[in-house]
Amino acid sequence: LQALYPALLRPKDEVRAATARAIGAYRSMDSLKPLLASARTDTDRNVVDDVASGILATQSLDTILNLMEGQDPGLRRIAMKTLSVSLKGAPPPPRAIAVLEARLLDQDLGIRRAAVYALARVPDERVATNIMKLSQDPDAEIREAAVVAAGRSQDARAQDILKRALADESDRVKVAALDGVLAKQIKGAREAVQML
């Protein structure tokens, strides 16, 4: 495993991606920090995030929760994303929700994005209602997560948020809004959907 780390610094994207995947196959927690530190480009970051999340998904829920509360921002971000995937729609423990909600105020945008991403997928009406309030956030990824939460929520305000999001500047927000409108079969959004 140690012999693979230098290849993470090679100039070619394909070599770095293949190396990251090879390191991930070992499922070693010790490899998380070198992996996260190796990301140079957005492509690297996507591959490394997937690999790191795959490693964390093999760990216990307590380990993931401890990393969410830890000091390393990269590990906190990956742990939050992994939590939402590993629960597979099951409600997370209250401790996880409390940590995620606290991370919504984090200074690091990546941490906030990961927290809202995870919370938007929690099957809890109170959580969804809180996340929907972020539908006007300046960051498109956070708005997208808020719209995903609105699509899952039974709150009366959810329909207005979804209809408004159909005109968002971000295509990803529009797609999330369209999914929510179709799932809820909001008749008042027909004209906006046709405009898309």
Side-chain angles (χ1 to χ4, degrees), residues 31-174:
S31 64
L32 288 175
K33 284 189 179 184
L35 275 170
L36 293 173
S38 73
R40 294 182 188 171
T41 65
D42 287 342
T43 303
D44 284 352
R45 207 164 287 105
N46 291 337
V47 171
V48 164
D49 283 1
D50 287 346
V51 169
S53 190
I55 293 169
L56 274 182
T58 64
Q59 304 302 311
S60 70
L61 181 59
D62 277 343
T63 299
I64 294 171
L65 291 174
N66 287 337
L67 288 174
M68 285 171 48
E69 296 175 311
Q71 296 301 311
D72 187 306
L75 291 176
R76 284 197 315 253
R77 182 177 53 80
I78 294 299
M80 286 185 270
K81 284 198 169 187
T82 303
L83 175 70
S84 63
V85 172
S86 66
L87 290 171
K88 297 178 180 142
R95 173 182 165 202
I97 291 174
V99 171
L100 289 168
E101 287 178 335
R103 292 295 178 217
L104 290 174
L105 303 174
D106 200 290
Q107 295 298 315
D108 186 298
L109 178 60
I111 299 293
R112 288 196 314 272
R113 285 175 173 169
V116 77
Y117 174 90
L119 286 168
R121 287 148 181 84
V122 169
D124 180 303
E125 188 61 36
R126 183 194 64 79
V127 173
T129 301
N130 286 338
I131 295 303
M132 287 185 337
K133 295 174 186 173
L134 299 172
S135 66
Q136 300 295 316
D137 194 89
D139 183 72
E141 283 188 44
I142 291 176
R143 288 195 312 275
E144 178 187 2
V147 170
V148 168
R152 298 172 64 110
S153 175
Q154 300 305 314
D155 189 291
R157 295 169 289 184
Q159 289 191 15
D160 289 335
I161 289 170
L162 291 168
K163 288 191 278 188
R164 213 174 28 250
L166 289 171
D168 196 274
E169 63 189 35
S170 165
D171 288 342
R172 290 176 55 166
V173 174
K174 288 177 190 172

